[in-house]
Amino acid sequence: GFTKGVVRTFIQSMVSALFIGVISYSMLNVFDSVFALDTVIGVFLQGFCSGMIGIAVGIIFLIAVGNEEIREVWSTFHKKIFKAKVTIAENEIR
């Protein structure tokens, strides 16, 4: 029922967040040798790249476990962004 779905979503979200944290932190060490950490841009790029990889792993995990919310987000994003049709009002055509 409703409670089972909420608990399942909660557990999936918590495990995904744990993966994101662990992977992002691990990637900080990987990118430590890639970017010059004595510059602002180097520190930014290290954090940005690490975070993006962590988020990607979290999304992949949620897709793999069949998370309903990630499917809904993807469906909405796909419909609103990729399938958006351009409409032109008749009075604008000359």
Side-chain angles (χ1 to χ4, degrees), residues 10-80:
F10 178 76
I11 291 171
Q12 289 173 344
S13 298
M14 292 303 293
V15 172
S16 177
L18 182 65
F19 281 154
I20 290 171
V22 169
I23 295 297
S24 295
Y25 184 73
S26 299
M27 290 294 103
L28 285 174
N29 292 327
V30 170
F31 289 119
D32 185 21
S33 59
V34 175
F35 299 110
L37 299 181
D38 55 348
T39 64
V40 172
I41 192 73
V43 173
F44 172 78
L45 288 173
Q46 179 199 27
F48 179 78
C49 293
S50 300
M52 294 306 290
I53 291 172
I55 291 170
V57 168
I59 290 171
I60 291 168
F61 169 78
L62 289 174
I63 291 169
V65 298
N67 182 273
E68 187 64 31
E69 284 70 23
I70 201 76
R71 273 194 240 146
E72 289 176 15
V73 168
W74 173 253
S75 176
T76 301
F77 182 73
H78 188 71
K79 287 176 187 173
K80 297 292 182 186

